[in-house]
Amino acid sequence: MLTLQDVWDDLPTAWGGPAGNGNLRTKPEDFQVIEEPITLPSGEGEHLWLRIKKRSCNTDWVANQLARLAGLKQSAVSYAGMKD
């Protein structure tokens, strides 16, 4: 079975191979995004704003879980950004 490492090892190199190796961004903690709203809640109206910290969870999945727990349709839950 051919692996990605086999393919990588067969690639041509200019000076006899890589000078080193390493791992980048291997843990969920390596990906941190803080969404800053362009407006702040006024304290009035029918909307509820939540600041949620999540780890190893898809944004859509979290939104769906919030809707389910609140007894709302999925379309009633929205979010700022999709950088994860």
Side-chain angles (χ1 to χ4, degrees), residues 51-67:
R51 182 176 296 246
I52 296 175
K53 288 185 178 184
K54 63 185 185 69
R55 182 178 188 272
S56 300
C57 296
N58 178 287
T59 300
D60 285 327
W61 181 85
V62 172
N64 291 335
Q65 295 303 307
L66 287 170

Side-chain angles (χ1 to χ4, degrees), residues 5-16:
Q5 187 64 47
D6 294 331
V7 173
W8 181 262
D9 290 341
D10 289 341
L11 291 174
T13 58
W15 293 286

Side-chain angles (χ1 to χ4, degrees), residues 2-3 5 8 10 16 23 27-28 40-41 49 57 59 63-64 83-84:
L2 188 65
T3 67
Q5 187 64 47
W8 181 262
D10 289 341
N23 295 317
K27 302 177 301 239
L40 295 175
W49 286 45
C57 296
T59 300
N64 291 335
K83 292 180 181 68
D84 56 343

Side-chain angles (χ1 to χ4, degrees), residues 46-50 52 61-78:
E46 60 185 37
H47 296 90
L48 174 65
W49 286 45
L50 302 173
I52 296 175
W61 181 85
V62 172
N64 291 335
Q65 295 303 307
L66 287 170
R68 183 182 62 78
L69 291 170
L72 302 170
K73 293 180 181 179
Q74 291 178 352
S75 61
V77 176
S78 62

Side-chain angles (χ1 to χ4, degrees), residues 5 20-27 30:
Q5 187 64 47
N21 60 27
N23 295 317
L24 301 174
R25 298 182 180 176
T26 59
K27 302 177 301 239
D30 294 335

